[in-house]
Coordinates of all heavy atoms in Angstrom, one line a residue:
A1 N 15.9 -15.7 20.9 CA 17.0 -14.9 20.4 C 16.4 -13.5 19.9 O 15.3 -13.3 19.9 CB 17.5 -15.6 19.1
Y2 N 17.4 -12.6 19.7 CA 17.0 -11.3 19.2 C 17.1 -11.3 17.6 O 17.8 -12.2 17.0 CB 17.9 -10.3 19.8 CG 17.4 -9.9 21.2 CD1 17.5 -10.8 22.3 CD2 16.9 -8.6 21.5 CE1 17.1 -10.5 23.5 CE2 16.5 -8.4 22.8 CZ 16.6 -9.2 23.8 OH 16.1 -9.0 25.0
V3 N 16.4 -10.4 17.0 CA 16.2 -10.4 15.6 C 16.4 -9.0 15.0 O 15.9 -8.1 15.5 CB 14.7 -10.9 15.2 CG1 14.4 -10.8 13.8 CG2 14.5 -12.3 15.8
V4 N 17.2 -8.9 13.9 CA 17.3 -7.7 13.2 C 16.2 -7.7 12.2 O 16.0 -8.6 11.3 CB 18.7 -7.6 12.4 CG1 18.8 -6.2 11.9 CG2 19.8 -7.9 13.3
T5 N 15.4 -6.6 12.1 CA 14.3 -6.4 11.2 C 14.6 -5.5 10.0 O 15.6 -5.1 9.9 CB 13.0 -5.9 12.0 OG1 13.4 -4.5 12.3 CG2 12.7 -6.6 13.2
D6 N 13.6 -5.4 9.1 CA 13.7 -4.6 7.9 C 14.2 -3.2 8.2 O 14.7 -2.5 7.2 CB 12.4 -4.7 7.1 CG 11.2 -4.2 7.9 OD1 11.1 -4.5 9.2 OD2 10.3 -3.4 7.3
L7 N 13.9 -2.6 9.4 CA 14.4 -1.3 9.5 C 15.9 -1.0 9.4 O 16.4 0.1 9.1 CB 14.0 -0.8 11.0 CG 12.5 -0.7 11.3 CD1 12.3 -0.3 12.7 CD2 11.9 0.2 10.4
C8 N 16.7 -2.2 9.5 CA 18.1 -2.0 9.2 C 18.4 -1.9 7.8 O 19.4 -1.4 7.4 CB 18.8 -3.3 9.9 SG 20.5 -3.4 9.7
C9 N 17.6 -2.4 7.0 CA 17.8 -2.5 5.5 C 18.0 -1.2 5.0 O 17.1 -0.3 5.1 CB 16.6 -3.3 4.9 SG 17.0 -3.7 3.2
G10 N 19.2 -0.9 4.5 CA 19.4 0.4 3.8 C 20.1 1.4 4.9 O 20.5 2.5 4.5
C11 N 20.3 1.0 6.1 CA 20.9 1.7 7.1 C 22.2 1.1 7.5 O 23.3 1.7 7.2 CB 20.1 1.9 8.4 SG 18.6 3.1 8.1
R12 N 22.1 0.0 8.2 CA 23.3 -0.9 8.5 C 24.3 -0.1 9.2 O 25.5 0.0 8.9 CB 23.9 -1.5 7.2 CG 24.6 -2.9 7.5 CD 25.4 -3.4 6.4 NE 26.4 -2.4 5.9 CZ 27.2 -2.6 4.9 NH1 27.1 -3.6 4.1 NH2 28.0 -1.7 4.5
Y13 N 23.9 0.5 10.3 CA 24.8 1.4 11.1 C 25.9 0.5 11.8 O 27.1 1.0 12.1 CB 24.1 2.3 12.2 CG 23.5 3.4 11.6 CD1 22.1 3.4 11.4 CD2 24.2 4.7 11.5 CE1 21.5 4.6 10.8 CE2 23.6 5.8 11.1 CZ 22.3 5.8 10.7 OH 21.7 6.9 10.3
T14 N 25.6 -0.7 12.1 CA 26.5 -1.7 12.8 C 27.0 -1.4 14.1 O 28.1 -1.8 14.6 CB 27.7 -2.0 11.8 OG1 28.5 -0.9 11.6 CG2 27.3 -2.7 10.5
E15 N 26.3 -0.4 14.8 CA 26.7 -0.2 16.3 C 26.5 -1.5 16.9 O 27.3 -1.8 18.0 CB 25.6 0.8 16.9 CG 25.5 2.0 16.1 CD 26.7 2.9 16.0 OE1 27.6 2.8 16.9 OE2 26.8 3.8 15.1
C16 N 25.5 -2.3 16.6 CA 25.1 -3.6 17.3 C 26.4 -4.5 17.3 O 26.5 -5.1 18.4 CB 24.0 -4.3 16.6 SG 24.3 -4.4 14.7
V17 N 27.2 -4.5 16.4 CA 28.2 -5.6 16.3 C 29.3 -5.2 17.3 O 30.1 -6.1 17.8 CB 28.9 -5.8 14.9 CG1 27.8 -6.0 13.9 CG2 29.8 -4.6 14.6
T18 N 29.4 -3.9 17.8 CA 30.5 -3.6 18.7 C 30.1 -3.9 20.2 O 31.0 -3.9 21.0 CB 30.7 -2.1 18.6 OG1 29.7 -1.4 19.1 CG2 31.0 -1.6 17.2
V19 N 28.9 -4.1 20.4 CA 28.5 -4.5 21.8 C 28.1 -5.9 22.1 O 28.1 -6.4 23.2 CB 27.2 -3.6 22.3 CG1 27.6 -2.2 22.2 CG2 26.0 -4.0 21.5
C20 N 28.0 -6.7 21.0 CA 27.6 -8.2 21.1 C 28.7 -9.0 21.8 O 29.8 -9.0 21.2 CB 27.2 -8.8 19.9 SG 26.7 -10.5 20.0
P21 N 28.5 -9.6 22.9 CA 29.5 -10.3 23.6 C 29.9 -11.6 23.1 O 30.9 -12.2 23.4 CB 29.0 -10.6 25.1 CG 27.5 -10.5 24.9 CD 27.2 -9.6 23.7
V22 N 29.1 -12.0 22.0 CA 29.3 -13.4 21.5 C 29.5 -13.5 20.0 O 29.4 -14.5 19.3 CB 28.2 -14.4 21.9 CG1 28.2 -14.6 23.4 CG2 26.9 -13.9 21.5
E23 N 29.7 -12.3 19.3 CA 29.9 -12.2 18.0 C 29.0 -12.9 17.2 O 29.3 -13.8 16.3 CB 31.3 -12.9 17.7 CG 32.5 -12.0 18.4 CD 33.8 -12.5 18.1 OE1 34.1 -13.6 17.4 OE2 34.8 -11.9 18.7
C24 N 27.7 -12.7 17.3 CA 26.6 -13.5 16.6 C 26.1 -12.7 15.4 O 25.2 -13.1 14.8 CB 25.6 -14.0 17.5 SG 24.7 -12.8 18.4
F25 N 26.7 -11.5 15.1 CA 26.2 -10.7 13.9 C 26.8 -11.3 12.6 O 28.0 -11.6 12.6 CB 26.4 -9.3 14.1 CG 25.3 -8.6 15.0 CD1 25.5 -8.5 16.4 CD2 24.2 -8.2 14.5 CE1 24.6 -8.1 17.2 CE2 23.1 -7.7 15.3 CZ 23.4 -7.6 16.6
H26 N 26.0 -11.2 11.6 CA 26.5 -11.4 10.2 C 26.0 -10.2 9.4 O 25.1 -9.5 9.8 CB 25.8 -12.8 9.7 CG 26.4 -13.9 10.4 ND1 27.1 -14.9 9.7 CD2 26.3 -14.4 11.6 CE1 27.5 -15.8 10.6 NE2 26.9 -15.6 11.8
V27 N 26.6 -10.2 8.2 CA 26.3 -8.9 7.4 C 26.3 -9.2 5.9 O 27.0 -10.1 5.4 CB 27.3 -7.8 7.7 CG1 28.8 -8.3 7.2 CG2 27.0 -6.5 7.1
D28 N 25.4 -8.6 5.2 CA 25.6 -8.5 3.8 C 25.5 -7.1 3.3 O 25.7 -6.1 4.0 CB 24.5 -9.4 3.1 CG 23.0 -8.9 3.3 OD1 22.9 -7.7 3.7 OD2 22.0 -9.6 3.0
E29 N 25.2 -6.8 1.9 CA 25.3 -5.4 1.4 C 24.2 -4.5 1.9 O 24.3 -3.3 1.7 CB 25.4 -5.5 -0.1 CG 24.4 -6.1 -0.9 CD 24.3 -7.7 -0.8 OE1 25.2 -8.3 -0.3 OE2 23.2 -8.3 -1.2
T30 N 23.2 -5.1 2.5 CA 22.1 -4.2 3.0 C 21.8 -4.1 4.4 O 21.3 -3.1 4.9 CB 20.7 -4.6 2.3 OG1 20.5 -6.0 2.7 CG2 20.8 -4.6 0.8
M31 N 22.2 -5.2 5.2 CA 21.8 -5.1 6.6 C 22.6 -6.2 7.4 O 23.3 -6.9 6.9 CB 20.3 -5.3 6.8 CG 19.8 -6.7 6.3 SD 18.0 -6.8 6.6 CE 17.9 -7.2 8.2
T32 N 22.3 -6.2 8.9 CA 23.0 -7.3 9.6 C 21.9 -8.3 10.0 O 20.7 -8.0 9.8 CB 23.6 -6.6 10.9 OG1 22.5 -6.1 11.6 CG2 24.6 -5.6 10.6
Y33 N 22.4 -9.4 10.5 CA 21.5 -10.5 10.9 C 22.1 -11.1 12.1 O 23.3 -11.1 12.3 CB 21.5 -11.6 9.8 CG 21.1 -11.1 8.5 CD1 22.0 -10.7 7.5 CD2 19.7 -10.9 8.1 CE1 21.7 -10.2 6.3 CE2 19.4 -10.5 6.9 CZ 20.4 -10.1 6.0 OH 19.9 -9.6 4.8
I34 N 21.3 -11.7 13.0 CA 21.7 -12.4 14.2 C 21.6 -13.9 14.0 O 20.5 -14.3 13.7 CB 20.9 -11.8 15.4 CG1 21.2 -10.4 15.7 CG2 21.1 -12.7 16.7 CD1 20.2 -9.7 16.8
D35 N 22.7 -14.5 14.3 CA 22.5 -16.0 14.3 C 21.9 -16.4 15.6 O 22.4 -16.3 16.8 CB 24.0 -16.6 14.4 CG 24.1 -18.1 14.3 OD1 23.0 -18.6 14.6 OD2 25.2 -18.6 14.1
P36 N 20.7 -17.0 15.4 CA 19.9 -17.3 16.7 C 20.5 -18.4 17.6 O 20.2 -18.4 18.7 CB 18.5 -17.7 16.1 CG 18.8 -18.2 14.8 CD 20.0 -17.3 14.2
D37 N 21.4 -19.2 16.9 CA 21.9 -20.3 17.7 C 23.2 -19.7 18.5 O 23.6 -20.4 19.5 CB 22.5 -21.4 16.8 CG 21.3 -22.0 16.1 OD1 20.3 -22.1 16.6 OD2 21.6 -22.5 15.0
N38 N 23.6 -18.6 18.3 CA 24.7 -18.0 19.1 C 24.1 -16.9 20.0 O 24.8 -16.7 21.1 CB 25.8 -17.3 18.2 CG 26.7 -18.4 17.5 OD1 26.6 -19.5 18.0 ND2 27.5 -17.9 16.7
C39 N 23.1 -16.3 19.8 CA 22.7 -15.2 20.5 C 22.3 -15.7 22.0 O 21.5 -16.7 22.2 CB 21.4 -14.5 19.9 SG 20.6 -13.2 20.9
I40 N 22.8 -14.9 23.0 CA 22.5 -15.3 24.4 C 21.5 -14.5 25.1 O 21.3 -14.4 26.3 CB 23.8 -15.3 25.2 CG1 24.5 -13.9 25.2 CG2 24.8 -16.4 24.8 CD1 25.6 -13.7 26.1
D41 N 20.7 -13.7 24.2 CA 19.5 -12.9 24.8 C 20.0 -11.8 25.7 O 19.1 -11.6 26.7 CB 18.5 -13.8 25.4 CG 17.9 -14.7 24.3 OD1 17.8 -14.2 23.0 OD2 17.3 -15.7 24.6
C42 N 21.1 -11.3 25.6 CA 21.6 -10.2 26.6 C 20.8 -9.0 26.5 O 20.7 -8.1 27.3 CB 23.0 -10.0 26.5 SG 23.6 -9.1 25.0
G43 N 20.4 -8.7 25.2 CA 19.6 -7.5 24.9 C 20.5 -6.3 24.7 O 20.1 -5.1 24.5
G44 N 21.8 -6.4 24.7 CA 22.8 -5.2 24.6 C 22.7 -4.5 23.3 O 22.9 -3.3 23.3
C45 N 22.3 -5.2 22.3 CA 22.2 -4.6 20.9 C 21.1 -3.7 20.7 O 21.1 -2.9 19.9 CB 22.4 -5.6 19.9 SG 21.1 -6.9 20.1
V46 N 20.0 -3.9 21.4 CA 18.7 -3.2 21.3 C 18.9 -1.6 21.4 O 18.5 -0.9 20.5 CB 17.7 -3.8 22.1 CG1 16.3 -2.9 22.0 CG2 17.4 -5.2 21.8
P47 N 19.4 -1.2 22.5 CA 19.4 0.2 22.7 C 20.4 0.9 21.8 O 20.4 2.2 21.6 CB 19.7 0.5 24.2 CG 20.5 -0.8 24.6 CD 19.9 -1.9 23.7
V48 N 21.5 0.3 21.3 CA 22.4 0.9 20.5 C 22.1 1.1 19.0 O 22.8 1.9 18.3 CB 23.9 0.4 20.6 CG1 24.4 0.2 22.0 CG2 23.9 -1.1 20.1
C49 N 21.1 0.5 18.6 CA 20.6 0.6 17.2 C 19.9 2.1 17.0 O 19.0 2.3 17.6 CB 19.7 -0.5 16.7 SG 19.2 -0.3 15.0
P50 N 20.6 3.0 16.1 CA 20.0 4.2 15.8 C 18.6 4.2 15.3 O 17.8 5.2 15.4 CB 20.9 4.9 14.9 CG 22.2 4.1 15.0 CD 21.8 2.7 15.3
V51 N 18.2 3.2 14.7 CA 16.8 3.1 14.3 C 15.8 2.1 14.9 O 14.8 1.8 14.4 CB 16.8 2.7 12.6 CG1 17.5 3.9 11.8 CG2 17.5 1.4 12.3
G52 N 16.3 1.5 15.9 CA 15.5 0.6 16.7 C 15.2 -0.6 15.9 O 14.0 -1.3 15.9
A53 N 16.1 -1.3 15.1 CA 15.8 -2.3 14.2 C 15.8 -3.7 14.9 O 15.3 -4.6 14.3 CB 16.8 -2.4 13.0
I54 N 16.3 -3.7 16.1 CA 16.5 -5.1 16.7 C 15.4 -5.2 17.8 O 15.3 -4.4 18.7 CB 17.9 -5.2 17.3 CG1 18.9 -5.0 16.2 CG2 18.0 -6.6 17.9 CD1 20.4 -4.9 16.7
Q55 N 14.9 -6.4 17.8 CA 13.8 -6.7 18.9 C 13.9 -8.1 19.3 O 14.4 -9.1 18.5 CB 12.4 -6.5 18.3 CG 12.0 -5.1 18.2 CD 10.5 -5.0 17.9 OE1 10.1 -5.4 16.8 NE2 9.7 -4.6 18.8
A56 N 13.5 -8.4 20.5 CA 13.4 -9.8 20.9 C 12.3 -10.6 20.1 O 11.4 -10.0 19.7 CB 13.0 -9.8 22.5
S57 N 12.6 -11.8 19.7 CA 11.7 -12.4 18.8 C 10.3 -12.5 19.3 O 9.3 -12.4 18.6 CB 12.3 -13.9 18.5 OG 12.5 -14.5 19.7
Y58 N 10.2 -12.7 20.6 CA 8.8 -12.9 21.3 C 8.0 -11.5 21.3 O 6.8 -11.5 21.5 CB 8.9 -13.5 22.6 CG 9.5 -12.7 23.7 CD1 8.6 -11.8 24.5 CD2 10.9 -12.7 23.8 CE1 9.3 -11.0 25.5 CE2 11.4 -11.9 24.9 CZ 10.6 -11.0 25.6 OH 11.3 -10.2 26.6
L59 N 8.6 -10.4 21.0 CA 8.0 -9.1 21.1 C 7.8 -8.6 19.6 O 7.1 -7.6 19.5 CB 9.0 -8.0 21.7 CG 9.1 -8.3 23.2 CD1 10.1 -7.2 23.7 CD2 7.8 -8.1 24.0
L60 N 8.1 -9.4 18.6 CA 7.9 -8.9 17.3 C 6.3 -8.7 16.9 O 5.5 -9.7 17.2 CB 8.5 -9.9 16.3 CG 10.0 -10.0 16.2 CD1 10.5 -11.2 15.3 CD2 10.6 -8.7 15.7
A61 N 6.0 -7.8 16.2 CA 4.7 -7.5 15.7 C 4.5 -8.7 14.6 O 5.4 -9.2 14.0 CB 4.6 -6.1 15.0
P62 N 3.2 -9.0 14.3 CA 2.8 -10.1 13.4 C 3.5 -9.9 12.1 O 4.0 -10.9 11.5 CB 1.4 -10.1 13.4 CG 0.9 -9.5 14.7 CD 2.0 -8.6 15.0
D63 N 3.6 -8.7 11.6 CA 4.1 -8.4 10.3 C 5.7 -8.4 10.3 O 6.3 -8.3 9.2 CB 3.6 -7.1 9.7 CG 4.0 -5.8 10.5 OD1 4.5 -6.1 11.7 OD2 4.2 -4.8 9.9
K64 N 6.3 -8.7 11.4 CA 7.7 -8.7 11.5 C 8.2 -10.2 11.8 O 9.4 -10.5 11.8 CB 8.3 -7.8 12.5 CG 7.9 -6.5 12.4 CD 8.8 -5.7 11.4 CE 8.4 -4.1 11.4 NZ 9.0 -3.4 10.2
V65 N 7.3 -11.1 12.1 CA 7.6 -12.5 12.6 C 8.5 -13.2 11.5 O 9.4 -14.0 11.9 CB 6.5 -13.2 13.0 CG1 6.7 -14.7 13.1 CG2 5.9 -12.7 14.2
S66 N 8.3 -12.9 10.2 CA 9.1 -13.6 9.2 C 10.6 -13.3 9.3 O 11.4 -14.1 8.8 CB 8.5 -13.1 7.8 OG 8.7 -11.8 7.6
W67 N 10.9 -12.2 10.0 CA 12.3 -12.0 10.2 C 13.1 -12.9 11.0 O 14.4 -13.0 11.0 CB 12.5 -10.4 10.6 CG 12.3 -9.5 9.5 CD1 11.0 -9.0 9.2 CD2 13.1 -9.1 8.5 NE1 11.1 -8.3 7.9 CE2 12.4 -8.5 7.5 CE3 14.5 -9.4 8.2 CZ2 12.9 -7.9 6.4 CZ3 15.0 -8.9 7.1 CH2 14.3 -8.1 6.2
I68 N 12.3 -13.7 11.9 CA 13.1 -14.8 12.6 C 13.7 -15.7 11.7 O 14.9 -16.0 11.8 CB 12.0 -15.4 13.5 CG1 11.4 -14.5 14.5 CG2 12.7 -16.7 14.2 CD1 10.3 -15.1 15.4
E69 N 12.9 -16.2 10.7 CA 13.6 -17.2 9.8 C 14.6 -16.5 8.9 O 15.6 -17.2 8.5 CB 12.5 -17.9 9.0 CG 11.9 -19.2 9.7 CD 13.0 -20.0 10.2 OE1 14.1 -20.4 9.6 OE2 13.1 -20.3 11.5
I70 N 14.3 -15.3 8.5 CA 15.3 -14.6 7.6 C 16.7 -14.4 8.3 O 17.6 -14.7 7.7 CB 14.7 -13.3 7.1 CG1 13.5 -13.4 6.3 CG2 15.8 -12.4 6.4 CD1 12.8 -12.2 6.0
N71 N 16.6 -14.1 9.5 CA 17.9 -13.9 10.3 C 18.6 -15.3 10.4 O 19.8 -15.4 10.2 CB 17.6 -13.4 11.8 CG 17.6 -11.8 11.8 OD1 18.5 -11.3 12.4 ND2 16.5 -11.4 11.2
R72 N 17.9 -16.4 10.6 CA 18.5 -17.7 10.7 C 19.1 -18.0 9.3 O 20.3 -18.4 9.3 CB 17.5 -18.7 11.1 CG 18.0 -20.2 11.2 CD 17.0 -21.1 11.6 NE 16.6 -21.0 13.1 CZ 17.3 -21.4 14.0 NH1 18.5 -21.9 13.9 NH2 17.0 -21.3 15.3
A73 N 18.3 -17.9 8.3 CA 18.8 -18.3 6.9 C 19.9 -17.5 6.5 O 21.0 -18.0 6.0 CB 17.7 -18.2 6.0
R74 N 19.9 -16.2 6.6 CA 20.9 -15.2 6.1 C 22.2 -15.4 7.0 O 23.3 -15.2 6.4 CB 20.4 -13.8 6.0 CG 19.3 -13.6 4.9 CD 19.9 -13.9 3.5 NE 20.9 -12.9 3.1 CZ 21.9 -13.1 2.3 NH1 22.0 -14.3 1.7 NH2 22.7 -12.2 1.9
S75 N 22.0 -15.6 8.3 CA 23.3 -15.7 9.1 C 24.1 -17.0 8.7 O 25.3 -17.0 8.9 CB 23.0 -15.6 10.6 OG 22.2 -16.7 11.0
A76 N 23.3 -17.9 8.1 CA 24.1 -19.1 7.7 C 24.8 -18.9 6.4 O 25.7 -19.7 6.0 CB 23.0 -20.3 7.6
E77 N 24.4 -17.9 5.7 CA 24.9 -17.6 4.4 C 25.9 -16.4 4.2 O 26.5 -16.2 3.1 CB 23.8 -17.3 3.3 CG 22.8 -18.5 3.2 CD 21.5 -18.0 2.5 OE1 21.2 -16.8 2.4 OE2 20.7 -18.9 2.2
T78 N 26.1 -15.7 5.4 CA 26.8 -14.5 5.3 C 28.0 -14.5 6.3 O 27.8 -15.3 7.3 CB 25.9 -13.3 5.5 OG1 25.1 -13.5 6.8 CG2 25.0 -13.1 4.4
P79 N 29.0 -13.6 6.1 CA 30.2 -13.6 7.0 C 29.8 -13.1 8.3 O 28.9 -12.2 8.4 CB 31.1 -12.9 6.3 CG 30.4 -12.0 5.2 CD 29.2 -12.8 4.9
T80 N 30.5 -13.4 9.4 CA 30.5 -12.8 10.7 C 31.0 -11.3 10.6 O 32.0 -11.1 9.8 CB 31.3 -13.6 11.7 OG1 30.8 -14.9 11.7 CG2 31.1 -13.0 13.1
I81 N 30.5 -10.4 11.3 CA 31.0 -9.1 11.5 C 31.3 -8.8 12.9 O 30.4 -9.0 13.8 CB 30.1 -8.0 10.7 CG1 30.6 -6.6 11.0 CG2 28.7 -8.2 11.2 CD1 29.9 -5.6 10.3
I82 N 32.5 -8.3 13.3 CA 32.8 -8.0 14.6 C 33.2 -6.6 14.8 O 33.4 -6.0 15.9 CB 33.7 -9.0 15.3 CG1 35.0 -9.0 14.4 CG2 33.2 -10.4 15.4 CD1 36.3 -9.7 15.1
S83 N 33.5 -5.9 13.6 CA 33.9 -4.4 13.8 C 32.9 -3.6 13.0 O 32.4 -4.0 12.0 CB 35.3 -4.3 13.1 OG 36.2 -5.1 13.7
K84 N 32.8 -2.4 13.5 CA 31.8 -1.5 12.8 C 32.3 -1.2 11.4 O 33.3 -1.0 11.1 CB 31.8 -0.2 13.7 CG 30.7 0.8 13.4 CD 30.5 1.8 14.3 CE 29.7 3.0 13.7 NZ 28.6 2.6 12.9
L85 N 31.3 -1.0 10.5 CA 31.4 -0.6 9.1 C 30.8 0.8 9.1 O 30.0 1.3 9.8 CB 30.6 -1.5 8.2 CG 31.1 -2.8 8.0 CD1 30.1 -3.6 7.1 CD2 32.5 -2.8 7.4
P86 N 31.3 1.6 8.0 CA 30.6 2.9 7.7 C 29.1 2.6 7.4 O 28.8 1.6 6.8 CB 31.2 3.5 6.6 CG 32.5 2.7 6.4 CD 32.3 1.4 7.1
P87 N 28.1 3.5 7.9 CA 26.8 3.2 7.6 C 26.5 3.3 6.1 O 27.4 4.0 5.4 CB 26.0 4.4 8.2 CG 27.0 5.0 9.2 CD 28.4 4.6 8.8
L88 N 25.5 2.7 5.5 CA 25.3 2.8 4.1 C 25.0 4.2 3.7 O 24.5 5.1 4.6 CB 24.1 1.9 3.7 CG 24.3 0.4 3.9 CD1 23.1 -0.3 3.6 CD2 25.5 0.0 3.0
P89 N 25.1 4.7 2.5 CA 25.0 6.2 2.0 C 23.5 6.5 2.3 O 23.3 7.8 2.5 CB 25.3 6.1 0.5 CG 26.1 4.9 0.4 CD 25.7 3.9 1.5
T90 N 22.5 5.7 2.4 CA 21.1 6.0 2.6 C 20.8 6.0 4.0 O 19.6 6.4 4.4 CB 20.2 4.9 1.9 OG1 20.7 3.7 2.2 CG2 20.2 5.1 0.3
A91 N 21.8 5.7 4.9 CA 21.3 5.6 6.3 C 20.7 6.9 7.0 O 19.8 6.7 7.6 CB 22.6 5.1 7.1
E92 N 21.4 8.0 6.8 CA 21.0 9.2 7.5 C 19.6 9.5 7.0 O 18.7 9.9 7.8 CB 22.0 10.4 7.2 CG 22.6 11.1 8.4 CD 22.3 10.7 9.8 OE1 22.5 9.5 10.2 OE2 21.7 11.6 10.5
E93 N 19.4 9.5 5.8 CA 18.0 9.8 5.2 C 17.0 8.9 5.8 O 15.9 9.4 6.1 CB 18.2 9.7 3.7 CG 17.1 10.3 2.8 CD 17.4 9.8 1.4 OE1 18.5 10.1 0.9 OE2 16.4 9.4 0.7
R94 N 17.2 7.6 5.9 CA 16.3 6.7 6.3 C 16.0 6.9 7.9 O 15.0 6.8 8.3 CB 16.8 5.3 6.0 CG 16.5 4.8 4.7 CD 16.8 3.3 4.4 NE 16.4 2.5 5.5 CZ 15.1 1.8 5.5 NH1 14.4 2.1 4.5 NH2 14.8 1.1 6.4
R95 N 17.1 7.2 8.6 CA 17.0 7.4 10.0 C 16.1 8.6 10.3 O 15.1 8.6 11.1 CB 18.3 7.5 10.7 CG 18.3 7.5 12.2 CD 19.5 7.8 12.8 NE 20.1 9.2 12.4 CZ 19.7 10.3 12.8 NH1 18.7 10.4 13.8 NH2 20.2 11.4 12.5
K96 N 16.2 9.6 9.5 CA 15.4 10.8 9.7 C 14.0 10.5 9.3 O 13.1 11.0 10.1 CB 16.0 12.0 8.8 CG 17.2 12.6 9.4 CD 17.6 13.8 8.6 CE 19.1 14.3 9.0 NZ 19.9 14.7 8.0
A97 N 13.8 9.8 8.3 CA 12.4 9.5 7.8 C 11.7 8.7 8.9 O 10.5 8.9 9.2 CB 12.5 8.8 6.6
L98 N 12.5 7.8 9.6 CA 11.9 6.9 10.6 C 11.6 7.7 11.8 O 10.6 7.4 12.6 CB 12.8 5.7 10.8 CG 12.8 4.7 9.9 CD1 14.0 3.8 10.1 CD2 11.6 3.9 9.7
S99 N 12.3 8.7 12.2 CA 12.1 9.4 13.4 C 11.2 10.6 13.2 O 10.8 11.3 14.2 CB 13.4 9.9 14.0 OG 14.1 10.8 13.1
A100 N 10.7 10.9 11.9 CA 9.9 12.1 11.7 C 8.5 11.8 12.1 O 8.0 10.7 12.2 CB 9.9 12.4 10.2
Ligands
SF4_201 FE1 24.4 -10.3 20.7 FE2 23.1 -9.8 23.0 FE3 22.2 -8.8 20.7 FE4 22.0 -11.5 21.1 S1 21.0 -9.9 22.3 S2 22.7 -10.3 19.2 S3 23.9 -11.8 22.4 S4 24.2 -8.2 21.8

């Protein structure tokens, strides 16, 4: 499955949810999560994320591996999202900092 990492936290652009063919994104007040039981590994969400927050689980750096379980747990606790939301107020600032 693919995994949303901490880079989404505080940004939550939600471009990802508009391209997912199987509606496997969930959302809370800080970021999105992928339900690993629904993800079909199409990879479509990876290039549309403005901050590069989504990665295939097998490509995660060691310090990001914990996000596999976080995505599984949080997607079970949060609602599905299928339509784009406005980015969080901190998104632009965070995106610029990440690309600097
Ligand atoms: Fe959805 Fe494909 Fe991304 Fe999985 S890899 S979350 S199926 S868009």
Side-chain angles (χ1 to χ4, degrees):
Y2 281 66
V3 176
V4 187
T5 68
D6 55 321
L7 293 180
C8 182
C9 193
C11 286
R12 208 188 61 183
Y13 279 98
T14 62
E15 310 294 336
C16 50
V17 311
T18 68
V19 299
C20 182
V22 292
E23 301 181 0
C24 58
F25 280 92
H26 289 248
V27 68
D28 68 11
E29 59 285 351
T30 59
M31 62 180 282
T32 63
Y33 307 93
I34 292 170
D35 179 347
D37 293 331
N38 283 352
C39 177
I40 57 170
D41 292 333
C42 74
C45 53
V46 174
V48 301
C49 178
V51 296
I54 303 173
Q55 281 190 292
S57 54
Y58 68 92
L59 291 175
L60 290 170
D63 66 337
K64 306 275 187 197
V65 167
S66 61
W67 285 91
I68 296 173
E69 273 315 306
I70 295 171
N71 275 246
R72 178 179 290 283
R74 289 298 290 153
S75 63
E77 297 166 348
T78 52
T80 301
I81 173 175
I82 55 170
S83 305
K84 192 169 161 35
L85 291 174
L88 293 175
T90 46
E92 234 0 61
E93 192 183 314
R94 277 183 49 87
R95 188 184 61 75
K96 283 188 191 137
L98 287 166
S99 61

